[in-house]
Amino acid sequence: KINKFNLRKYFFKIYATCEVKMKKTEKNFYALIITENKLNPSEVIFIDDQQRYIDTAQKAGIKTLKFESIEKLQKDLNTIV
């Protein structure tokens, strides 16, 4: 998908699970991103449509939003930011 949609032109860094050899259900996946980018977990927002990934990101101290529709995401982003 990264190449198919030319995503690298939109993002400075992409953490693909296949490249870092971790799953989104592993807390270390989020710890890697936070550590490498010197981020404060409470200032990060993780958006996904799968609850199991959201649960793991929350355990890493990250704010999360469940994607259900564009309209709901826009509304949710306005309340969390």
Side-chain angles (χ1 to χ4, degrees), residues 1 4 7-8 12 15 20 22 29-30 34-36 41 43 45 52 54-56 59 63 67 71 77-78:
K1 291 181 186 177
K4 180 179 179 180
L7 296 176
R8 294 199 190 278
F12 173 73
Y15 288 86
V20 297
M22 289 186 226
F29 175 71
Y30 305 95
I34 290 165
T35 302
E36 280 192 3
E43 297 176 342
I45 300 172
R52 63 185 178 201
I54 289 170
D55 293 342
T56 307
K59 289 176 186 171
K63 294 178 187 175
F67 179 82
E71 295 79 17
L77 282 169
N78 284 327

Side-chain angles (χ1 to χ4, degrees), residues 19-33:
E19 291 177 2
V20 297
K21 307 284 192 266
M22 289 186 226
K23 297 177 183 176
K24 289 194 283 183
T25 52
E26 295 179 58
K27 190 176 172 184
N28 284 340
F29 175 71
Y30 305 95
L32 170 72
I33 296 167

